[in-house]
């Protein structure tokens, strides 16, 4: 089969999750072709490196109008890439961008879109497993049309290291003018450059109502720093105003699947579990030995977060 | 302003979901269905705009007869009228978006609000697909909104920051948590909702392009061990994470 993979970049850097999608596209297409698409402004230089991850060819839409993401601009570019390659399936990462772009492209081409999938197979059509009902059920779905699109959940697919090969780069020619983009990005407010994105982090340390204050989240910031991870929060902590919405883990927040998830002062409500039960190892710290979080945690400590967290941070620092 | 809110009738998030014997659907008897939590932000956003600018808020849902309960909830919150498209829910967002678009098309709405995602099949696709079919711009998963001078400006989060997006109207907007604090229906609102009109609209669903092959439960996590109590347990925890789990 032939796979077309949209590989998201921002500021000239490919997203980890996009590389995961590309590697999955390579695997799915087996003997067939795997074509990558890069969209942006001044991205010609970085496109070739995708050969290292298995792209046979890279199509590039390089245009000043595509410097920032726009649903309409990027859809036009991808539509052209699809027209040129007639792929059997189109993949992209289920990031904020991919989750916006895939349905637009799907509706435009009238092909099905399998959203936020955690595994993919190809047998005469694209088939995928998707967590639904906030992960309470796994649903296997099949697209009954050629050219179906799937968005791949970050961290659900194993990426490969680059083997250093470089791929042929080919420009995508298509007409695009300013008026084609009705919804445009006026401004991008970036977080700190060294911030590790929650959904991509290998270590996530989250705090809940048991943290008691914004101030005490510093304990989690410190722990995250030692581990090289990101801080998350329960909805109770976010609604209390101690952390931003972007840090909420759970059904109305983010779904994370790190190697290690530490839940501090979090009771383990079902809506919180929806966002973190795919983590490899879960540690719970809670002063209540009956807290439901212990029922799903691999390791637990019964105790006060204010005492445990500094000790844990110190102990891990020693190890490193 | 003429405002539309798309709402979906979904199982309460507390519900223990049970798969039917066909392995392709979930049991719905004894399940409490509610207004999709993300749609509450959409309803609130529309009501705030109406209060500021005047106009009318219409709620629309596509779903079984029971979904009218969710329309009543939106009417009780303050929507003026509602449209019910009688058909079963499908796992295919494309089919849903087409059916909704057909019912919406004849009306000129300044803004169409949706939730970011329906908390059942978790597709997060209907709003964008709807926009494409209607030929409108969209901004998805917003957590801040300003509407003025025929334009909407919204904040939308991505991994690593926030995009400030501006669009002309009409447009489709999907709402994320943080956008506002949805109101509860007042007793008066609930009484008034009973008298507000719900128009029936026919289903125009096409055969879905997505087939549900099967549903199953994910592997259950079993509780591990309590390493110990208090600070004394910390070094043992770190040892286990390092030597047994090998994650640090
Ligand atoms: C539609 C809907 C969507 C939702 N979405 C989400 C979501 O995305 N994410 C989410 O997290 N929640 C979500 N919730 C909320 C969820 O139901 C819970 O209310 C929330 O997760 C509780 O947060 P918590 O565990 O921090 O607080 P609590 O349940 O209050 O738990 C606090 C815990 O801290 C412990 N504790 C207290 N003091 C200490 C201390 N000094 N040391 C150690 N432990 C201590 C307590 O024993 C307790 O277990 C949602 C709810 C609804 C209805
Ligand atoms: N059957 C439906 N009827 C009305 N609105 C819907 C329906 N399905 C989805 N929507 C809208 O689209 C949003 C996203 O849904 P989904 O793409 O299914 O996750 C929901 O929050 C609703 O606003």
């Amino acid at each position: 089969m032939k796979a077309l993979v949209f590989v998201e970049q921002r500021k000239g850097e490919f997203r980890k999750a996009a590389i995961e999608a590309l590697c999955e596209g390579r695997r799915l297409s087996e003997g067939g072709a795997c074509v990558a698409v890069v969209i942006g402004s001044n991205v010609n230089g970085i496109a070739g490196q995708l050969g290292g991850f298995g792209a046979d060819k890279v199509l590039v839409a390089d245009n000043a109008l595509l410097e920032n993401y726009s649903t309409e601009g990027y859809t036009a570019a991808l539509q052209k890439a699809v027209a040129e390659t007639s792929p059997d399936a189109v993949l992209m990462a289920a990031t904020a961008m991919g989750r916006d772009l895939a349905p637009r492209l799907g509706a435009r081409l009238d092909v099905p879109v399998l959203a936020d999938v955690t595994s993919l197979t190809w047998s005469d059509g694209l088939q995928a497993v998707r967590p639904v009902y906030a992960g309470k059920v796994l649903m296997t779905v099949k697209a009954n049309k050629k050219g179906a699109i799937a968005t791949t959940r970050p961290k659900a697919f194993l990426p490969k290291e680059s083997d250093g090969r470089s791929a042929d780069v080919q420009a995508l020619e298509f007409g695009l003018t300013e008026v084609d983009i009705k919804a445009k990005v006026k401004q991008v407010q970036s977080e700190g450059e060294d911030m590790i994105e929650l959904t991509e982090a290998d270590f996530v340390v989250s705090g809940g109502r048991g943290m008691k204050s914004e101030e005490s989240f510093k304990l989690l910031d410190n722990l995250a720093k030692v581990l090289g991870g990101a801080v998350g929060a329960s909805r109770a902590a976010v609604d209390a105003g101690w952390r931003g919405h972007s840090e909420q883990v759970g059904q109305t927040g983010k779904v994370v699947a790190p190697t290690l998830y530490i839940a501090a002062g979090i009771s383990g409500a079902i809506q919180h579990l929806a966002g973190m039960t795919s983590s490899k190892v879960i540690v719970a710290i809670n002063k209540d030995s009956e807290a439901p979080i212990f029922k799903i945690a691999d390791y637990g400590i019964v105790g006060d977060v204010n005492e445990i967290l500094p000790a844990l941070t110190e102990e891990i620092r020693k190890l490193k | 302003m003429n405002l539309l809110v798309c709402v979906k009738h979904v199982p309460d998030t507390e519900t223990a979901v049970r798969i039917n014997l066909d392995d392709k659907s979930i049991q719905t008897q004894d399940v409490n269905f509610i207004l999709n939590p993300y749609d509450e932000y959409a309803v609130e956003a529309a009501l705030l705009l109406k209060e500021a600018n005047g106009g009318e808020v219409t709620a629309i849902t596509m779903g079984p007869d029971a979904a009218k309960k969710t329309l009543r909830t939106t009417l009780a919150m303050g929507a003026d009228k509602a449209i019910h498209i009688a058909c079963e829910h499908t796992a295919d967002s494309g089919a849903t978006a087409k059916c909704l678009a057909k019912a919406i098309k004849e009306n000129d709405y300044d803004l169409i609000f949706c939730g970011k995602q329906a908390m059942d099949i978790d597709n997060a696709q209907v709003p964008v697909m709807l926009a494409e079919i209607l030929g409108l711009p969209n901004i998805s998963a917003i957590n801040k909104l300003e509407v003025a001078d025929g334009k909407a400006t919204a904040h939308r989060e991505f991994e690593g920051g926030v995009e400030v997006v501006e669009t002309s109207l009409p447009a489709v907007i999907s709402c994320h948590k943080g956008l506002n604090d949805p109101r509860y229906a007042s007793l008066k609102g609930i009484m008034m909702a009973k008298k507000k009109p719900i128009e029936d609209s026919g289903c125009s669903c096409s055969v879905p392009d997505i087939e549900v092959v099967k549903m199953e439960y994910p592997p259950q996590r079993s509780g591990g061990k309590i390493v110990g109590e208090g600070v004394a347990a910390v070094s043992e925890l770190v040892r286990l994470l390092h030597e047994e789990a090998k994650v640090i």
Side-chain angles (χ1 to χ4, degrees):
Chain A
M1 65 85 88
K2 184 195 273 183
L4 183 73
V5 185
F6 165 63
V7 188
E8 171 180 347
Q9 62 79 35
R10 285 194 192 254
K11 292 190 189 153
E13 245 178 79
F14 294 115
R15 280 233 88 86
K16 255 195 206 169
I19 298 295
E20 292 164 10
L22 176 57
C23 293
E24 180 60 11
R26 173 74 276 169
R27 192 194 65 79
L28 265 189
S29 57
E30 286 176 8
C34 176
V35 179
V37 189
V38 177
I39 305 174
S41 173
N42 288 319
V43 289
N44 269 312
I46 56 167
Q49 46 178 277
L50 295 181
F53 300 100
D56 299 308
K57 183 164 82 177
V58 186
L59 302 175
V60 181
D62 198 317
N63 186 323
L65 290 175
L66 298 170
E67 160 140 33
N68 285 317
Y69 172 68
S70 67
T71 319
E72 291 147 309
Y74 275 48
T75 302
L78 265 183
Q79 186 182 5
K80 177 68 180 165
V82 169
E84 282 196 9
T85 49
S86 337
D88 293 298
V90 180
L91 307 189
M92 63 185 86
T95 54
M97 192 190 284
R99 295 281 261 155
D100 183 67
L101 183 56
R104 191 93 196 186
L105 183 70
R108 182 156 313 170
L109 303 173
D110 197 16
V111 294
V113 187
L114 312 180
D116 204 19
V117 308
T118 52
S119 100
L120 279 168
T121 46
W122 176 266
S123 58
D124 227 19
L126 194 63
Q127 192 164 308
V129 176
R130 314 187 41 231
V132 294
Y133 296 97
K136 290 175 201 163
V137 171
L138 295 179
M139 179 167 80
T140 303
V141 283
K142 182 161 190 193
N144 289 330
K145 236 182 195 178
K146 183 185 146 107
I149 306 169
T151 56
T152 58
R153 179 176 283 196
K155 291 188 98 70
F157 297 86
L158 280 182
K160 291 216 175 73
E161 294 284 311
S162 169
D163 63 14
R165 259 186 302 176
S166 96
D168 272 354
V169 175
Q170 199 179 303
L172 271 177
E173 303 293 348
F174 67 102
L176 185 69
T177 58
E178 207 142 352
V179 293
D180 296 328
I181 303 173
K182 292 196 211 109
K184 25 173 147 350
V185 169
K186 286 284 165 184
Q187 194 196 340
V188 179
Q189 302 168 350
S190 295
E191 280 167 10
E193 295 287 313
D194 54 349
M195 286 271 288
I196 298 173
E197 157 54 29
L198 202 51
T199 52
E200 290 179 353
D202 289 326
F203 301 94
V204 173
V205 295
S206 290
R209 204 193 311 264
M211 296 301 293
K212 303 262 168 50
S213 68
E214 181 177 347
E215 179 64 16
S216 61
F217 262 86
K218 285 227 175 69
L219 301 175
L220 288 170
D221 287 328
N222 293 341
L223 178 57
K225 206 172 286 164
V226 171
L227 284 166
V231 175
S234 75
R235 176 162 179 169
V238 170
D239 289 352
W242 304 336
R243 300 302 283 200
H245 287 285
S246 63
E247 290 177 313
Q248 185 180 315
V249 171
Q251 193 161 13
T252 33
K254 289 186 174 152
V255 177
V256 299
T259 326
L260 175 61
Y261 187 88
I262 300 178
I266 293 178
S267 62
I270 193 157
Q271 298 94 347
H272 186 78
L273 303 189
M276 43 68 82
T277 37
S278 309
S279 306
K280 186 159 171 240
V281 172
I282 297 172
V283 169
I285 304 165
N286 198 301
K287 68 175 187 190
D288 173 10
S289 64
E290 300 292 314
I293 189 84
F294 287 123
K295 294 208 176 68
I296 59 111
D298 299 284
Y299 303 107
I301 290 187
V302 179
D304 189 329
V305 288
N306 294 299
E307 294 165 14
I308 307 294
L309 288 173
L312 183 58
T313 308
E314 200 40 48
E315 200 69 25
I316 293 172
R317 197 193 314 271
K318 272 195 254 163
L319 191 74
K320 296 237 158 167
Chain B
M1 298 183 91
N2 200 10
L3 306 158
L4 182 74
V5 191
C6 301
V7 294
K8 192 171 185 192
H9 191 58
V10 301
D12 190 332
T13 53
E14 295 281 351
T15 304
V17 175
R18 296 272 136 241
I19 299 170
N20 274 325
L21 286 173
D22 68 357
D23 283 339
K24 291 182 182 184
S25 56
I26 64 147
Q27 291 177 13
T28 52
Q29 65 273 32
D30 303 326
V31 172
N32 183 34
F33 277 72
I34 56 167
L35 165 64
N36 178 38
Y38 280 117
D39 300 350
E40 293 180 10
Y41 304 110
V43 175
E44 181 66 28
L47 293 175
L48 289 173
L49 269 183
K50 174 190 148 176
E51 283 158 8
N53 303 297
E56 196 175 49
V57 175
T58 306
I60 188 168
T61 197
M62 172 199 136
D65 233 25
K68 281 189 177 161
K69 177 187 159 212
T70 275
L71 288 179
R72 289 282 169 214
T73 306
T74 61
L75 293 171
M77 285 172 77
D80 300 289
K81 57 188 175 65
I83 304 169
H84 175 238
I85 311 172
C87 33
E88 291 305 311
H89 290 140
T90 145
D92 185 343
S93 331
T96 304
K98 280 180 207 167
C99 184
L100 280 172
K102 187 114 193 258
I104 294 172
K105 217 168 241 164
E106 286 87 58
N107 298 288
D108 287 321
Y109 295 105
D110 298 300
L111 267 168
I112 298 176
F113 288 100
C114 294
K116 174 203 157 213
Q117 181 168 333
M119 287 189 184
D120 48 8
I121 303 299
D122 291 324
N123 273 323
Q125 307 201 125
V126 167
V128 185
M129 289 178 161
L130 188 60
E132 170 66 19
I133 299 167
L134 295 172
L136 299 178
N138 73 279
I139 313 178
S140 47
I142 68 157
N143 56 21
K144 194 173 170 190
L145 175 69
E146 264 167 51
V147 178
D149 311 324
K151 279 189 289 202
T153 309
H155 286 210
R156 128 181 180 84
E157 203 191 280
F158 66 92
E159 300 79 4
V162 171
E163 288 169 340
V164 183
V165 188
E166 184 186 279
T167 182
S168 56
L169 302 186
V172 179
I173 280 177
S174 80
C175 305
H176 204 337
K177 176 172 181 278
L179 178 62
N180 51 41
D181 290 315
R183 65 194 68 187
Y184 292 103
S186 63
L187 202 58
K188 187 167 160 240
I190 295 168
M191 297 309 291
M192 278 166 63
K194 294 189 177 135
K195 296 194 198 96
K196 291 179 180 171
I198 296 182
E199 177 195 320
D200 289 306
S201 173
C203 165
S204 64
C205 274
S206 45
V207 181
D209 290 328
I210 295 176
E211 180 193 329
V212 177
V213 178
K214 68 168 184 231
M215 284 186 173
E216 62 201 313
Y217 299 108
Q220 287 304 306
R221 282 194 96 102
S222 49
K225 54 183 153 202
I226 301 273
V227 178
E229 280 191 34
V231 176
V234 170
S235 60
E236 174 63 1
L237 171 67
V238 172
R239 188 192 68 78
L240 288 167
L241 291 175
H242 185 56
E243 292 173 13
E244 188 178 87
K246 298 193 168 64
V247 291
I248 56 172

